[in-house]
Amino acid sequence: MKTIAVPPVPAALNPLSPKAIATLAEVYDEASHAITLYFSRPNLSDKAHRGEALTFEHLIKTARDRYETHDGSPGLSKDLTRILNMEPEFRGSPRRFHAVFACKDRDIWQVVDLPTCGDLSGLQVSQRFQMVPLLRALEATTPCCVALVERGKARVFLVRGTDALALPLLPTADLAVEADDSRVGWSDHIDGSVRERTKAYFKSLALDLHLMMLDLSCGQLVVGCREDVWSELEPQLVKAGMTEMMSGRFHLTNLDMTTDEIAKATKPVVREKLRQQYVHFWELIRERPEISAVGVDAVLRRLEAGSVQTLFLGDLTGKDVTACSRCQSWWNVSTQCPACGSRQSHLMSAEEFLARRALAIGARIIAPDMPTAALFGETGALLRY
Ligand SMILES: [Zn+2]
């Protein structure tokens, strides 16, 4: 079978496996020394950098004042110092999404750097890590293959958020047919031959792209090309079995686009594709009430039963659920924990609780960025049965 050598994907393009995310979500530190830091600033200018440093130092100082003074934990203190020391690094790449998950007592130190930015800064010291902002950032940076295509030539990239990585060059084809006999010129025969060779080129390109994407485990293809090229390429992509992978396209003015230009042109296409997926999810929820749940309580009940296949985390700002202080089970209406009988409970952020339960049972999570999440319902789930 034909293969195309694909370079190893840099860590920044593939920062966390689903297993690593589920493991972070499972962490429970009784002493409340689990630190989550999120830091992402979209509107940074060079002049604002000093202000950002102050914001960052302020976050750490507030945490110190609040937790260290009455706690005195050396582990917590070391982690906060280590995070504070990362400030220059964050400042050096401001328009990115930074997160740190740290718990010295449990030997956990995980730094995440994603090529996207939201307006987000916060530091939480708690029994558990805060997962949902990470899930939303990962969804916004789902990798896709981008192919810039002309007749006889193509360039392919792996794009994730604002990062674009050039992939190996695919074979080119010289499609010009020279007329040996100038008296004949461009006869029908020669036109036909060019058409055939163009078709053969697009066919082989589609197969190469398909192989490359399977190799990368990448499920989304965005094409940059002219209208006339698309009309010839699209049928070949369909024939190569790529209908499900085709996420959309943009108009190509120049095959020599820079990686920045490519990432910028890809962004609206990916956003639109995600929006269509969200719309489709809620259509299914409405059409199939027998295999769906809507609202925090109904979805939690299904999560506890393990029957959720896909969970949608919409805008759940300010929504809390009651959890058992002893065993962390969900309390519905009773005054006593249904799992362990404890009478002590506390309030937890609903979106964090839902996400953790979904990760624990291996359900797929749809986590749109916040502006998009607000356009849809609070939460809904499609069920396995
Ligand atoms: Zn309990």
Side-chain angles (χ1 to χ4, degrees):
M1 195 175 143
K2 192 174 168 186
T3 56
I4 292 160
V6 172
V9 179
L13 284 175
N14 194 11
L16 275 181
S17 68
K19 190 166 177 281
I21 294 164
T23 307
L24 283 177
E26 276 169 20
V27 169
Y28 174 68
D29 186 68
E30 210 158 8
S32 285
H33 292 161
I35 307 173
T36 314
L37 169 89
Y38 285 113
F39 201 76
S40 178
R41 295 305 217 178
N43 302 312
L44 268 189
S45 65
D46 285 341
K47 281 182 193 151
H49 280 178
R50 187 59 206 145
E52 290 305 318
L54 289 174
T55 309
F56 192 80
E57 282 160 23
H58 179 72
L59 274 179
I60 309 289
K61 189 180 170 324
T62 311
R64 282 230 154 102
D65 292 349
R66 203 161 147 202
Y67 300 102
E68 275 186 4
T69 42
H70 66 81
D71 190 305
S73 154
L76 185 63
S77 179
K78 272 183 194 154
D79 276 342
L80 287 172
T81 306
R82 197 169 168 190
I83 292 173
L84 185 60
N85 289 339
M86 294 190 75
E87 189 272 324
E89 191 181 314
F90 292 176
R91 195 156 20 130
S93 54
R95 296 175 59 83
R96 293 178 73 93
F97 175 94
H98 299 283
V100 179
F101 301 90
C103 185
K104 188 89 187 148
D105 304 354
R106 283 162 196 278
D107 247 344
I108 299 168
W109 176 263
Q110 173 79 56
V111 179
V112 182
D113 171 10
L114 292 172
T116 178
C117 50
D119 198 355
L120 187 70
S121 70
L123 189 146
Q124 179 189 287
V125 181
S126 167
Q127 291 177 321
R128 291 176 178 280
F129 294 128
Q130 191 190 354
M131 301 304 297
V132 175
L134 172 68
L135 298 176
R136 296 196 193 280
L138 282 169
E139 178 137 332
T141 51
T142 306
C144 66
C145 267
V146 177
L148 308 184
V149 184
E150 278 183 4
R151 287 194 176 79
K153 271 186 285 184
R155 294 172 74 206
V156 192
F157 298 81
L158 186 67
V159 174
R160 176 167 203 158
T162 51
D163 277 356
L165 168 80
L167 292 171
L169 288 172
L170 295 175
T172 54
D174 181 10
L175 303 174
V177 175
E178 283 169 28
D180 297 338
D181 186 343
S182 60
R183 285 168 305 175
V184 175
W186 286 90
S187 67
D188 285 350
H189 169 71
I190 291 169
D191 275 353
S193 163
V194 171
R195 254 198 313 278
E196 281 310 306
R197 284 162 75 167
T198 308
K199 191 177 167 187
Y201 170 72
F202 284 137
K203 185 179 175 181
S204 119
L205 175 67
L207 294 172
D208 285 346
L209 279 173
H210 196 192
L211 275 179
M212 201 180 232
M213 291 180 66
L214 291 178
D215 250 12
L216 287 165
S217 306
C218 179
Q220 282 200 61
L221 174 70
V222 173
V223 176
C225 70
R226 292 193 316 268
E227 196 71 41
D228 56 316
V229 168
W230 182 244
S231 64
E232 292 175 71
L233 175 63
E234 189 192 15
Q236 299 303 332
L237 293 172
V238 171
K239 272 189 203 161
M242 297 178 79
T243 311
E244 290 290 307
M245 292 176 163
M246 288 151 60
S247 295
R249 70 188 174 98
F250 57 84
H251 182 74
L252 183 72
T253 46
N254 173 12
L255 192 66
D256 298 318
M257 285 172 93
T258 64
T259 48
D260 276 355
E261 289 168 343
I262 292 163
K264 212 172 268 177
T266 305
K267 191 176 169 185
V269 180
V270 171
R271 281 190 76 89
E272 174 55 20
K273 177 71 184 178
L274 283 171
R275 196 193 63 81
Q276 286 170 12
Q277 285 172 358
Y278 304 153
V279 168
H280 179 65
F281 176 90
W282 285 99
E283 277 169 5
L284 268 177
I285 290 264
R286 271 187 292 276
E287 285 164 13
R288 305 283 309 274
E290 72 282 9
I291 54 151
S292 61
V294 177
V296 175
D297 278 17
V299 170
L300 258 176
R301 211 167 289 131
R302 298 306 198 144
L303 280 167
E304 296 286 304
S307 61
V308 171
Q309 181 202 61
T310 307
L311 167 72
F312 189 98
L313 287 175
D315 184 359
L316 288 146
T317 313
K319 286 262 164 183
D320 289 321
V321 293
T322 311
C324 174
S325 297
R326 192 201 285 170
C327 75
Q328 308 303 310
S329 289
W330 172 52
W331 277 15
N332 188 7
V333 283
S334 60
T335 53
Q336 217 175 339
C337 172
C340 75
S342 165
R343 290 186 176 274
Q344 287 205 344
S345 66
H346 62 275
L347 286 180
M348 264 190 74
S349 138
E351 63 173 12
E352 286 293 324
F353 201 81
L354 288 165
R356 255 191 281 279
R357 282 291 191 270
L359 286 166
I361 62 166
R364 179 175 164 237
I365 298 178
I366 300 177
D369 60 34
M370 277 310 281
T372 313
L375 304 173
F376 295 88
E378 281 181 347
T379 186
L382 279 175
L383 311 176
R384 291 182 221 271
Y385 46 85

